[in-house]
């Protein structure tokens, strides 16, 4: 699953541009693998967050249909996790609703409830958090001047405010 996120977003949107910029700027060779790892962590976190907000945000806040990933039957981390963890009637409902060619707002609400019940939302939120922590640790080891590190951190990490807002709206429930 995470290979898909690496290939889909992380490599070409984060890792490669960071590495290319570092090479062109004359960064020491030892920094290049660190930047690649940083880009991979940020890119995966970004794509997972995109999947989260594509279901748990509103069309108004994200500027696209919240049903688009579901209508396209994208097997996101959320869906794959739910499919692996739901049983019986819940699993049947997920499969039936997910495979519908055209979904309604009621279908979206049903899928959201199943993703929450399966623990998939919080699994995905934790996946974002874990990758952000890894990226922050990597960033701290880079041989950049502190001002540049601060600018990179500020610019990149603010992208993750939306998943934090989703987490606040859907607090983890005790099982």
């Amino acid at each position: 699953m995470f290979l898909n996120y690496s290939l889909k977003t992380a490599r070409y949107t984060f890792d490669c541009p960071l590495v290319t910029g570092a090479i062109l700027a004359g960064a020491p060779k030892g920094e290049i693998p660190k930047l690649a790892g940083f880009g991979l962590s940020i890119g995966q976190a970004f794509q997972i967050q995109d999947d989260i907000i594509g279901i748990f945000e509103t069309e108004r806040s994200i500027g696209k249909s919240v049903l688009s990933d579901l209508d396209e039957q994208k097997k996101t981390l959320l869906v794959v996790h739910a499919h692996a963890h739901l049983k019986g009637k819940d699993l049947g409902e997920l499969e039936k609703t997910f495979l519908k060619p055209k979904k309604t707002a009621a279908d979206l609400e049903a899928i959201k409830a199943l993703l929450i019940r399966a623990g998939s939302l919080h699994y995905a939120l934790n996946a974002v958090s874990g990758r952000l922590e890894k990226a922050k640790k990597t960033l701290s080891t880079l041989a950049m001047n502190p001002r540049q590190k601060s600018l990179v951190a500020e610019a990149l990490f603010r992208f993750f405010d939306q998943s934090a807002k989703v987490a606040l709206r859907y607090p983890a429930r005790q099982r």
Side-chain angles (χ1 to χ4, degrees):
M1 182 79 238
F2 294 111
L3 177 62
N4 185 36
Y5 289 126
S6 296
L7 299 176
K8 179 179 178 183
T9 301
R11 292 282 183 216
Y12 72 81
T13 306
F14 293 92
D15 171 8
C16 289
L18 285 168
V19 167
T20 302
I23 291 169
L24 292 173
K29 284 190 178 193
E31 294 295 286
I32 304 303
K34 292 180 196 177
L35 279 166
F38 176 77
L40 186 63
S41 296
I42 290 290
Q44 287 179 347
F46 184 84
Q47 188 59 53
I48 296 166
Q49 176 185 256
D50 186 64
D51 294 342
I52 291 168
I53 65 176
I55 294 174
F56 289 92
E57 277 290 357
T58 64
E59 287 184 27
R60 185 176 182 194
S61 70
I62 64 172
K64 70 175 187 174
S65 170
V66 291
L67 289 171
S68 62
D69 283 355
L70 293 175
D71 276 342
E72 295 171 25
Q73 297 177 353
K74 289 186 180 176
K75 292 175 181 75
T76 65
L77 181 63
L78 293 154
V79 171
V80 170
H81 182 274
H83 193 267
H85 289 84
L86 290 172
K87 305 286 184 235
K89 182 181 168 190
D90 285 341
L91 178 59
E93 183 181 346
L94 176 69
E95 289 173 345
K96 177 183 165 202
T97 308
F98 184 73
L99 293 173
K100 284 175 72 173
K102 207 68 179 143
K103 293 161 193 73
T104 65
D107 293 331
L108 174 63
E109 292 305 316
I111 288 174
K112 282 165 83 170
L114 290 166
L115 295 175
I116 291 167
R117 195 159 39 249
S120 302
L121 172 59
H122 288 92
Y123 176 79
L125 288 166
N126 288 335
V128 170
S129 295
R131 279 154 181 78
L132 290 178
E133 285 306 311
K134 184 176 180 182
K136 287 176 186 177
K137 286 179 185 173
T138 303
L139 182 60
S140 72
T141 69
L142 292 172
M144 299 172 113
N145 81 37
R147 175 79 175 122
Q148 290 170 329
K149 278 186 192 181
S150 177
L151 289 171
V152 169
E154 184 180 323
L156 289 177
F157 296 118
R158 73 177 163 177
F159 286 129
F160 298 96
D161 289 346
Q162 285 181 295
S163 56
K165 289 176 186 173
V166 170
L168 289 173
R169 281 200 316 274
Y170 297 93
R173 292 181 173 85
Q174 298 295 330
R175 288 185 166 219

